[in-house]
Amino acid sequence: MIMNASQHIYDMMYRIQGQTQEVVLQKERIVPADVMHECLRMLAPELSGFEVREEYAYRGAMEADRAQLVEVWTNVLTNAMEAMPQGGVLIVRMTETKRKIVVEIKDNGIGMEKHQLKRVFDPFYSTKSGKKMNFGLGLSYCYAIVHKHKGTMNVHSKPGLGTSVFMQFPKPKQQHDNSVEGKG
């Protein structure tokens, strides 16, 4: 019985891993700040008990799969809300470095212990004990999609102080504009 159960779990993991590997990105030019704002608008009913701060220092474009990013950001935003059951402050930041677009989703919720943080991207791992229909696949899926965009995803957290999820994406190569640059 144990062998059958473990084989079943292995088969499920293999299928799920295959699903994220089979995802083919439908890239288009998007403005990530607009897409993030769209995610927040879609979640507006659930966000009513929260103070939401949007800080978009980067308002440029990037090449990305809009639908997949909406899925990733909605998942991370939902996790942040669930970490603040009594409400709280949710900060969404978009900044840039020389080569990267940096997206940060930060909450002032319950935070995570170091041992939880180490496993946060593992399939089937969840910090939400006893919650039905939570299979611990959200962040592992998000991680896979961010990597498909040639990006990175990191989580910083401290118990009682909240969590920050950082996603970095490559900046688009500068396209040389052949228009006149107003020199005169």
Side-chain angles (χ1 to χ4, degrees), residues 9-178:
I9 290 170
Y10 175 80
D11 291 343
M12 276 179 45
M13 286 176 63
Y14 186 77
R15 277 196 311 275
I16 290 161
Q17 181 187 24
Q19 287 173 353
T20 56
Q21 287 179 345
E22 291 167 18
V23 170
V24 177
L25 298 180
Q26 306 293 318
K27 285 189 172 184
E28 60 183 290
R29 198 158 182 80
I30 65 160
V31 176
D34 293 347
V35 175
M36 180 65 79
H37 185 72
E38 197 179 295
C39 292
L40 290 166
R41 265 200 340 262
M42 286 188 305
L43 291 169
E46 292 95 329
L47 285 166
S48 62
F50 299 90
E51 179 187 335
V52 179
R53 296 183 198 152
E54 294 178 77
E55 301 171 7
Y56 302 119
Y58 180 76
R59 290 199 159 271
M62 67 185 269
E63 291 291 320
D65 185 316
R66 173 186 288 272
Q68 296 294 340
L69 278 190
V70 165
E71 188 69 27
V72 167
W73 291 344
T74 301
N75 191 306
V76 175
L77 289 164
T78 301
N79 284 350
M81 288 186 289
E82 290 174 354
M84 300 183 288
Q86 315 310 317
V89 180
L90 179 64
I91 301 170
V92 176
R93 281 191 188 104
M94 217 161 280
T95 56
E96 65 182 310
T97 65
K98 192 172 183 176
R99 293 189 178 95
K100 304 281 183 187
I101 299 164
V102 182
V103 178
E104 178 186 6
I105 297 173
K106 179 183 174 69
D107 66 64
N108 66 344
I110 57 176
M112 288 182 272
E113 301 280 349
K114 276 186 182 171
H115 71 278
Q116 294 173 308
L117 214 43
K118 286 179 185 170
R119 299 195 53 207
V120 80
F121 296 124
D122 292 355
F124 302 106
Y125 179 74
S126 176
T127 60
K128 302 166 197 158
S129 60
K131 206 159 182 241
K132 287 187 176 160
M133 297 309 292
N134 178 25
F135 301 106
L137 296 171
L139 284 181
S140 65
Y141 167 80
C142 293
Y143 185 81
I145 296 301
V146 169
H147 274 262
K148 281 220 173 250
H149 281 86
K150 301 204 178 344
T152 61
M153 187 170 181
N154 300 290
V155 179
H156 300 264
S157 187
K158 288 218 174 0
L161 298 176
T163 301
S164 288
V165 177
F166 293 93
M167 292 162 270
Q168 294 188 22
F169 300 93
K171 266 176 140 171
K173 302 275 185 265
Q174 292 297 325
Q175 268 133 27
H176 295 291
D177 188 0
N178 291 333

